[in-house]
Amino acid sequence: MPRLFKWSAQVRSHFRRMNGYALTILIALLATTGSSGQSHGAPNEYEVKAAFLYNFAKFMAWPPSPSPTEATFTICILGDDPFGPALDLLKGKPVDGRPVEVRRLTKPGEIGRCRIVFVGLPYAREIAGLAENLKDKPVLTVGDGQGFVRSGGMVGFVLTDGRIRFEIDPDRIAPTGLTVSSQLLNLAIITRAGGSS
């Protein structure tokens, strides 16, 4: 079947590399959690996205914890949880010198205590208000769909040519004190609040 679009060699390389990183992390996570008895087929969409979340955590410089007694690196899901058990594979993995904790939240009141928050429905529709409340806090907001970043989120998963990619708005991340690695930015689709890419 002929391709509808021609991608540059650099873009194709970025697709392969980022999906390769995510799959490498996912395979390592599956191997260390002893997930025997589960299907060993190709990872599903949210298993890959869980691996991406871990990569986001690892490829950012995090400011000091707002709470000096914070013993864990907390990844939260606000609202509907599309990950199921896939995100639980990250529990205990090291990020920024602390083990990952996964929390599922039904109300936005506690998201300021998260380091990464995946914003599911119905809250994804209200990302502009959530983003305003978190404006200067070191909390990375992640969601699904092309409209997520343009509506106020920081990182949004998108499907491009059948592959999972992600958009990043570095201008929205900068005031939080988070520093995105150049490696991560090179793999991202840069999307600015003004709508430019």
Side-chain angles (χ1 to χ4, degrees):
M1 173 186 272
R3 288 188 175 183
L4 297 177
F5 300 101
K6 287 189 175 181
W7 297 100
S8 72
Q10 181 182 16
V11 170
R12 287 193 308 271
S13 173
H14 285 328
F15 284 149
R16 283 191 295 272
R17 241 185 328 187
M18 195 59 199
N19 279 323
Y21 289 151
L23 289 175
T24 299
I25 294 292
L26 179 62
I27 289 165
L29 291 172
L30 290 172
T32 59
T33 57
S35 60
S36 59
Q38 293 181 354
S39 168
H40 291 290
N44 70 36
E45 176 182 352
Y46 282 93
E47 289 170 335
V48 173
K49 288 178 179 180
F52 271 104
L53 288 179
Y54 188 68
N55 278 315
F56 298 156
K58 297 290 277 185
F59 284 93
M60 292 206 180
W62 296 87
S65 170
S67 167
T69 59
E70 187 178 302
T72 59
F73 184 97
T74 307
I75 298 176
C76 300
I77 300 172
L78 175 63
D80 291 348
D81 177 4
F83 291 92
L87 201 58
D88 294 324
L89 295 175
L90 301 180
K91 286 181 181 176
K93 300 298 174 197
V95 172
D96 198 31
R98 290 169 290 154
V100 169
E101 175 189 9
V102 176
R103 296 185 66 206
R104 289 166 171 87
L105 308 174
T106 56
K107 300 208 183 293
E110 293 187 51
I111 60 174
R113 294 173 38 182
C114 306
R115 286 301 189 137
I116 296 176
V117 60
F118 181 89
V119 184
L121 293 174
Y123 298 103
R125 293 185 205 112
E126 304 166 14
I127 186 58
L130 291 172
E132 185 62 31
N133 290 336
L134 293 171
K135 187 167 43 176
D136 298 323
K137 294 184 175 71
V139 177
L140 184 73
T141 56
V142 182
D144 270 329
Q146 291 182 324
F148 184 79
V149 171
R150 285 190 169 81
S151 298
M154 296 175 186
V155 179
F157 290 117
V158 293
L159 288 175
T160 305
D161 197 27
R163 292 190 180 262
I164 298 169
R165 299 271 331 267
F166 58 95
E167 298 178 329
I168 286 184
D169 186 340
D171 298 337
R172 193 165 282 125
I173 294 172
T176 67
L178 297 171
T179 305
V180 184
S181 78
S182 59
Q183 293 168 307
L184 200 57
L185 287 174
N186 285 338
L187 298 172
I189 300 167
I190 304 300
T191 303
R192 311 248 181 222
S196 61
S197 294

